[in-house]
Amino acid sequence: MKKALSIDIGGTKICYAIIDENGEYLTAPQKVSTPKSAEEIFSLLSSLASEYDEQIDAVAMATAGAVNRDNTRVVSSTPNLPSGYNALDFSKISSKKVFVENDANAAAWAEYKLGAAKGCDYSIVVTLGTGIGSGVINNGALIRGKSGAAVECGSMKIFADKRQKCTCGRYDCWEAYASGTGLRRCVQSMALSEPEFSTSMFKDKNIEDLTTYDVIDGVRADDAFCKKVFAQWLEYLYVGVVNLVDIFDPQCIVLSGGMGEFIDVEQLENRVNAEIVVQPVKIRLAKMKNNAGMIGAALLALK
Amino acid sequence: MKKALSIDIGGTKICYAIIDENGEYLTAPQKVSTPKSAEEIFSLLSSLASEYDEQIDAVAMATAGAVNRDNTRVVSSTPNLPSGYNALDFSKISSKKVFVENDANAAAWAEYKLGAAKGCDYSIVVTLGTGIGSGVINNGALIRGKSGAAVECGSMKIFADKRQKCTCGRYDCWEAYASGTGLRRCVQSMALSEPEFSTSMFKDKNIEDLTTYDVIDGVRADDAFCKKVFAQWLEYLYVGVVNLVDIFDPQCIVLSGGMGEFIDVEQLENRVNAEIVVQPVKIRLAKMKNNAGMIGAALLALK
């Protein structure tokens, strides 16, 4: 049974474990704080690789950013990681095979091999968090594009009239509307425009302090304003999902991330299937909980 | 040298020729009117296949509609072809190999093998006509999806607030804005809203009679209103192109169809490259003129 040291590199934490080719943990996942410089990250990864060298067949990494065609380095800027990060050649951290993949792609691979998209050679994972990440399996392989940067679906524009600026500086990215951040924007903007706010359980709160969690709490408490906000947010999610289904014609779309549990997936699936021009799709919640990226990267590295 | 009888089936005409594996015509393309019933179409195709049977290695077909995974029949409804068309099993029209492909996919394959996307294993062809057709090459293969219906990019929504109904009955499809039909809608709607219309060369024309060609004529004549309309149309085209580049990370996008020649491709490429989050893309006009679908289908059938 082949084994990889798999490392998930985030802006605040680096998480790692030894994982076998079936995706099983052989060591409990451990976390360390992400060092502040690219050089220190490289040193940390090298020392981890050297520590586990005799137990492993490969080093796998899941990281933010677009990964090059050789799966050895990051080619795009990665705002949450230190400058110089995308100059690092990760193939040099170990004498063993090193395989790097974008974290959303790695998560999509994990859901495809072991999770909610198991058996679906055509599937999409959409991660709803601060932003929107995505990975697409087409004919049993990840879509990576000419430079490894493909399926930046969070950047898909869902308005064509420069309606709302995204945190990335561009306009009308899907993730500016349908991410967790998008839900916060939605509640703050609708608090100003919707009469229902005046009778909402949050009517006395400062508008700029309204959060994603307030909306969720309000929906649970049957608050009319919060239900209206959430319905609008779902509409934004719906439009992007319809686009991805018409573009990729997948067997299933997996929704991942903290927001997923608040979505009526069956209702969303019915609406999407009534709208698309391709054949019906299944919509499911992710099965792989935390560390999907770490597991997917290990499976890819040991493939 | 292998040869195919290649047949392009349109709503009004069926076009056919013998084409070799290099994409060269061995007979001049011929046209016949499309019969009015599915049965007559089947008979016509069968008699063509039988007529050329001794000269060919395969029968290739390019057709509207999504084509099944076996490339033998159409699985979606095709509004411009008679009812029953998608019940036809085209593999039965000849004892030779029969290979059916969606016409936009076949055109994308022709541009990839012989045209403007030659050598680009990651490329997209967007056909701007009455609607918008598209075909995507990923890692040297067509993206077809679970049911052969993928890359329905003309159906991508570019607004999320049900702004404009498309001829398909859905809202805000890209092709409702950025096709030839979209340009006509644009000029008719902007004639009502833009003050420049009152001094336009078309100011005395009935608004509902304004056409795509009027806009083009006006742009050529430096008419301020028509230039504003065309700029708005280009904006709609631009948004969809940006989305496709961020989604597929292609080396090049090929614009095909009659509208292409009126677009400043270099300017569009510069704007797109300033906006996308993936690596730069080339934008080119199609090289394969008419019958790209017929040639692409032949190349695929003889592959």
Side-chain angles (χ1 to χ4, degrees), chain A residues 66 69 75-76 122 138-139 142-153 155-163 168 170-171 232 235-236 238-239 242-252 271 275-281, chain B residues 66 69 75-76 122 138-139 142-153 155-163 168 170-171 232 235-236 238-239 242-252 271 275-281:
Chain A
R69 299 283 321 161
V75 291
S76 64
Y122 299 84
N138 174 66
N139 200 17
L142 282 165
I143 289 191
R144 303 191 77 250
K146 67 171 182 298
S147 59
V151 303
E152 285 286 353
C153 301
S155 297
M156 171 172 61
K157 293 171 188 297
I158 62 163
F159 286 97
D161 57 354
K162 297 195 175 170
R163 177 175 304 205
C168 72
R170 302 153 79 246
Y171 282 91
Q232 177 61 69
E235 192 66 25
Y236 295 139
Y238 163 78
V239 165
V242 165
N243 284 353
L244 293 185
V245 175
D246 279 340
I247 288 172
F248 289 110
D249 184 22
Q251 292 156 294
C252 85
R271 280 195 70 203
E275 180 83 9
I276 53 174
V277 297
V278 301
Q279 303 296 308
V281 67
Chain B
R69 300 282 323 162
V75 291
S76 64
Y122 298 84
N138 174 67
N139 200 17
L142 282 165
I143 289 191
R144 304 191 77 251
K146 68 173 182 296
S147 59
V151 303
E152 287 286 354
C153 301
S155 297
M156 170 172 62
K157 293 173 188 294
I158 62 164
F159 286 99
D161 57 355
K162 297 196 175 171
R163 188 169 304 198
C168 73
R170 301 154 79 243
Y171 282 91
Q232 177 61 68
E235 192 65 25
Y236 294 139
Y238 163 78
V239 165
V242 165
N243 283 354
L244 294 185
V245 174
D246 278 341
I247 288 172
F248 289 110
D249 184 22
Q251 293 155 293
C252 86
R271 279 195 71 203
E275 179 83 9
I276 54 174
V277 297
V278 301
Q279 303 295 306
V281 67

Side-chain angles (χ1 to χ4, degrees), chain B residues 95-131:
Chain B
S95 58
K96 298 279 165 66
K97 173 186 177 182
V98 177
F99 184 92
V100 188
E101 185 51 275
N102 167 268
D103 46 13
N105 281 355
W109 192 258
E111 292 291 344
Y112 165 49
K113 284 296 171 186
L114 300 172
K118 195 169 174 176
C120 294
D121 285 345
Y122 298 84
S123 58
I124 303 179
V125 170
V126 174
T127 303
L128 305 169
T130 312

Side-chain angles (χ1 to χ4, degrees), chain B residues 57-103:
Chain B
D57 302 282
V59 178
M61 286 175 51
T63 173
V67 172
N68 68 349
R69 300 282 323 162
D70 294 334
N71 294 95
T72 55
R73 62 202 304 161
V74 169
V75 291
S76 64
S77 64
T78 39
N80 299 323
L81 286 161
S83 73
Y85 181 71
N86 53 2
L88 299 178
D89 180 356
F90 295 114
S91 68
K92 300 220 156 60
I93 65 169
S94 171
S95 58
K96 298 279 165 66
K97 173 186 177 182
V98 177
F99 184 92
V100 188
E101 185 51 275
N102 167 268
D103 46 13

Side-chain angles (χ1 to χ4, degrees), chain A residues 208-230:
Chain A
E208 61 271 31
D209 295 333
L210 289 167
T211 66
T212 299
Y213 303 102
D214 291 339
V215 183
I216 300 299
D217 289 345
V219 169
R220 284 183 174 138
D222 213 32
D223 181 273
F225 169 71
C226 292
K227 283 162 68 182
K228 193 170 186 181
V229 170
F230 196 72

